[in-house]
Amino acid sequence: MALFAAGLAFVMMVLSPLAALADGTTEPTEPTSTTSSTEEPADETGEDAEPVEPPDGPYITVVLLDSGNDDAPIVGVTLTVTAEDGTEVGSAVTNDEGRVIIETPERGAYEVVLDQDTLPEGTELSDPDDASITIQVRFDGPNPGLFPIGVEEVVAVPFVDRLVTALTSGVKFGLIVALAALGLSLIFGTTGLTNFAHGELITFGAVMTYVANRGFGLPVILSGVLAVAVSALFGWAQERGLWRPLRRRGTGLIAMMIVSIGLGLLLRNSFQYSIGSSRQSLSQYVSQGRRDYGFISLADKELAIILIALVTITVACVLLMKTRLGKAMRAVSDNPALSASSGMKVDSVIGAVWILGTALTGLAGVLLAINSQVNFLMGFKLLLLVFAAVTLGGLGTIWGALFGSMIIGVMVEVGPLFGVPSSIKEVGALVVLILVLLLRPQGILGRRERIG
């Protein structure tokens, strides 16, 4: 326990300096062909206006750019902000950069109305009937707004193209889930522990990448490698300092499961304290254009994520199926008591399982961070899908975890094409899980076992 406490203290010592760093970094915005900005506003709110300093509190900033005219700034347009009760908060005129800044008295929802009569001749909104937008002011500083101006009509993308894109995204997401599910399946198979802190192990890999990249200035690739190594070390520290002493005391699996819930809460709040509650960006690979590869298009980082995940899963499966250590892991998973009676060092095998399992899970966090940046809840949000993948494929089976992960990943990304709202697209995958378990309770590749 002292060793485990020392490990947590070390993690907190490394993460603590990032609390200040997190306050100075913001989530990057995806590039658009219209208008949006989180940059500091210009010093003027009109061509003839006096210079204005950015307010200390919350304010709304809008930049009007004509995307139909090489993103030329639109000058002299009046925008008015009103509160939810209809009270006018203020108005301003776009300056030479097409920018306005309007201070708000407090956080909340505000309506920004664009006076179309002040638009330059030949410039109009994409939808003249939509001259107002609602902006949620959630934090001090700039809260950006977006008005589509001069945007050409978007041609509908054929369903087949959208399906191919969704399938590609599903495979990528499924491989990330598979790495985490493989780690969870290994730990559950050898120890019987249902680890509810497993989602935080995903976040741990992402946060360690952020620490090395933003905190120590290392490249993202090197940061990811170090994060996997630190994750493996953290898994070893957990096993030696927490789970092994509990096993030796005869602690039941339900009690250990409750301990894992407490550990998850501790880690989750530690991450929030360290990096903040907003999404944090890495210094590289934030936004990339896509390249065509035959009938699919992928960004370079997406292709790298798929290849890294495939290679890692292949190496892990070969290790488990062909090496002596892998056979020992499978033996302990099948019958720990018989393995111990035959002279096998069960504790050493379980320690190796924790190292391998947390390393794979940490790698899932690294790839997820590169794909969608870092947030203290990212692993917690993924935990249910990881459990669903392992359960769907069959508890304690390697191939079941991989197979279930691919089904879950594809269902999550393809579901919106068939009417599932994007905000709850995970529901489709969970419905499939319920239907499969009704017909095959042991999972797709699981084995039937007698209970009682």
Side-chain angles (χ1 to χ4, degrees):
M1 293 297 292
L3 177 63
F4 180 67
L8 281 180
F10 172 75
V11 172
M12 288 299 299
M13 181 180 66
V14 173
L15 292 179
S16 294
L18 288 180
L21 176 63
D23 295 334
T25 57
T26 57
E27 177 183 1
T29 55
E30 293 294 330
T32 64
S33 60
T34 55
T35 165
S36 179
S37 174
T38 58
E39 299 176 1
E40 289 298 322
D43 291 338
E44 299 181 357
T45 57
E47 292 185 36
D48 300 324
E50 295 295 328
V52 176
E53 292 294 333
D56 294 331
Y59 60 89
I60 291 173
T61 176
V62 178
V63 178
L64 298 184
L65 302 177
D66 189 351
S67 60
N69 186 25
D70 296 329
D71 287 339
I74 302 176
V75 181
V77 179
T78 302
L79 291 99
T80 304
V81 175
T82 57
E84 289 183 293
D85 59 2
T87 305
E88 181 175 328
V89 174
S91 64
V93 179
T94 56
N95 63 1
D96 292 337
E97 296 180 353
R99 188 189 305 272
V100 297
I101 169 176
I102 303 175
E103 184 177 3
T104 58
E106 59 184 2
R107 303 178 187 183
Y110 294 88
E111 184 180 20
V112 181
V113 181
L114 186 149
D115 186 355
Q116 298 188 64
D117 293 336
T118 60
L119 286 171
E121 184 178 355
T123 303
E124 62 181 14
L125 295 174
S126 299
D127 185 359
D129 297 329
D130 190 12
S132 65
I133 58 174
T134 299
I135 296 179
Q136 293 288 340
V137 177
R138 296 188 175 92
F139 46 84
D140 293 343
N143 295 267
L146 173 69
F147 276 102
I149 298 177
V151 180
E152 297 179 358
E153 182 181 0
V154 178
V155 179
V157 179
F159 177 79
V160 174
D161 293 343
R162 289 186 287 133
L163 179 61
V164 170
T165 301
L167 287 173
T168 304
S169 298
V171 169
K172 177 189 66 178
F173 183 64
L175 289 172
I176 294 176
V177 173
L179 287 169
L182 186 57
L184 179 65
S185 184
L186 284 171
I187 295 171
F188 175 84
T190 53
T191 65
L193 172 65
T194 304
N195 185 15
F196 280 90
H198 196 76
E200 275 55 57
L201 299 183
I202 300 173
T203 310
F204 185 85
V207 170
M208 288 299 103
T209 305
Y210 178 74
V211 169
N213 176 239
R214 289 291 192 178
F216 298 102
L218 299 178
V220 169
I221 295 177
L222 181 57
S223 299
V225 174
L226 290 177
V228 173
V230 175
S231 296
L233 181 61
F234 185 54
W236 174 83
Q238 281 190 70
E239 157 60 16
R240 290 297 299 272
L242 181 61
W243 305 116
R244 183 179 297 186
L246 290 176
R247 285 199 311 272
R248 289 181 174 176
R249 292 184 178 185
T251 306
L253 290 176
I254 294 180
M256 293 176 69
M257 180 185 69
I258 295 174
V259 171
S260 75
I261 296 175
L263 177 61
L265 290 172
L266 172 63
L267 292 175
R268 196 179 315 142
N269 285 278
S270 299
F271 298 147
Q272 184 180 16
Y273 169 78
S274 303
I275 67 172
S277 58
S278 60
R279 189 176 297 272
Q280 305 296 335
S281 63
L282 302 176
S283 64
Q284 297 172 289
Y285 315 121
V286 175
S287 178
Q288 290 184 334
R290 291 174 172 250
R291 299 184 184 182
D292 292 330
Y293 297 92
F295 58 91
I296 64 173
S297 59
L298 291 169
D300 290 343
K301 69 175 182 179
E302 293 177 314
L303 181 61
I305 289 172
I306 292 174
L307 292 178
I308 291 172
L310 283 174
V311 171
T312 303
I313 291 173
T314 302
V315 172
C317 290
V318 171
L319 172 68
L320 294 171
M321 299 301 296
K322 299 297 183 180
T323 66
R324 185 175 180 178
L325 177 61
K327 294 177 181 179
M329 291 179 181
R330 288 187 287 123
V332 173
S333 176
D334 289 338
N335 196 324
L338 181 59
S339 300
S341 64
S342 64
M344 189 176 298
K345 296 180 179 180
V346 175
D347 282 342
S348 298
V349 174
I350 292 177
V353 166
W354 271 96
I355 292 173
L356 178 60
T358 52
L360 292 172
T361 306
L363 178 60
V366 172
L367 299 182
L368 192 61
I370 295 174
N371 183 68
S372 54
Q373 306 311 305
V374 182
N375 182 267
F376 80 102
L377 285 176
M378 59 192 300
F380 178 71
K381 293 179 179 179
L382 199 63
L383 179 62
L384 183 59
L385 294 180
V386 174
F387 273 121
V390 174
T391 306
L392 179 62
L395 288 171
T397 62
I398 300 171
W399 304 112
L402 300 178
F403 190 66
S405 298
M406 297 310 299
I407 293 177
I408 293 294
V410 171
M411 287 300 302
V412 166
E413 296 297 331
V414 174
L417 294 181
F418 296 92
V420 179
S422 298
S423 58
I424 56 171
K425 60 182 180 180
E426 294 84 2
V427 171
L430 300 179
V431 169
V432 172
L433 169 66
I434 294 172
L435 295 177
V436 170
L437 294 182
L438 286 174
L439 300 175
R440 191 175 173 83
Q442 70 271 28
I444 297 175
L445 300 180
R447 296 175 298 179
R448 290 189 177 184
E449 295 182 3
R450 179 182 295 274
I451 301 178

